[in-house]
Each structure stands twice: as structure tokens, then as C-alpha cells.
Amino acid sequence: MATPGHEDNQGMCLYIVLYDYDLELMGRKKELRDEHRTFMHRLNSLGTVLSSGRTAAGDERGSLTIMLARDVEEAQRILKDDPYARAGIVKSMTVREWSPVVGTFADC
């Protein structure tokens, strides 16, 4: 699966992204949920986001995303357009390169 602008995903690495949400803005999260999910589904259809979801059932204080990017800065640039990030709901974003050796993502 090639991400536009990254033919054959040459030079691409896997990244895990952790969002921590601002608890004071949680009410806005429901207002933007459909727009956020549309954004993430679009990135998934492009092959950029491989999987994404909240970090604990019933606990909407954070989420985890697995994505492809050339580097940390590119991952951050892509996700800064997330409606949650634009609205300030994402209090902090941690991006780390990930090198799985076993399982579904080991072949990425």
C-alpha cells in the first residue's frame, strides 16, 4: 500500500501516536467526533493511518494511532489537521517510531 507522495512507501517508518485529551474540553469532543472520524478514515484510506482508537474502553482521555510517515515531524504535520487537534482537545501528542518484529505490523 503506497501513501500518496511516498510511492511504495520507500523511506516510510511505523509510528505510534498517543493523544492525551484536555479534560476541560471533553464536551467539545462529542461535537467534533464525526469530523474527527472522517479525518482518520480518510488517512486510513490513503494508507497513512493503519489503526486508531481510544486507549481504554469507557475512558475517553486519550487515544493511540499507528501510522506510516517519513519521520516524527511528518507524522505531527499530518495530525495537526485532526479536528480534535485544531480545537485544542489534544492536550499533548507523543509520536514514537515503532519497529515491530512479531505480528500483523512486522511486515510494514
Side-chain angles (χ1 to χ4, degrees):
M1 99 186 95
T3 303
H6 304 106
E7 287 67 30
D8 300 322
N9 290 333
Q10 293 290 70
M12 301 292 281
C13 297
L14 274 173
Y15 289 87
I16 56 169
V17 181
L18 294 168
Y19 278 3
D20 285 316
Y21 298 131
D22 185 329
L23 298 179
E24 294 179 13
L25 297 176
M26 292 302 283
R28 298 246 16 240
K29 194 167 170 268
K30 286 183 182 179
E31 296 170 28
L32 296 169
R33 182 170 285 136
D34 289 343
E35 192 178 340
H36 163 75
R37 287 186 177 171
T38 297
F39 175 80
M40 292 305 242
H41 280 289
R42 181 178 169 279
L43 291 177
N44 177 256
S45 72
L46 293 172
T48 303
V49 166
L50 304 179
S51 192
S52 185
R54 57 182 186 216
T55 54
D59 179 3
E60 297 195 26
R61 295 182 187 156
S63 67
L64 180 133
T65 298
I66 300 170
M67 67 183 294
L68 288 168
R70 288 202 188 281
D71 52 40
V72 169
E73 291 78 17
E74 182 179 61
Q76 291 170 329
R77 268 193 311 278
I78 291 167
L79 294 176
K80 77 174 175 53
D81 289 329
D82 181 343
Y84 285 174
R86 287 194 327 253
I89 295 167
V90 178
K91 186 168 129 179
S92 68
M93 179 190 314
T94 303
V95 180
R96 292 190 178 145
E97 187 172 343
W98 183 44
S99 300
V101 294
V102 175
T104 303
F105 298 110
D107 293 332
C108 289

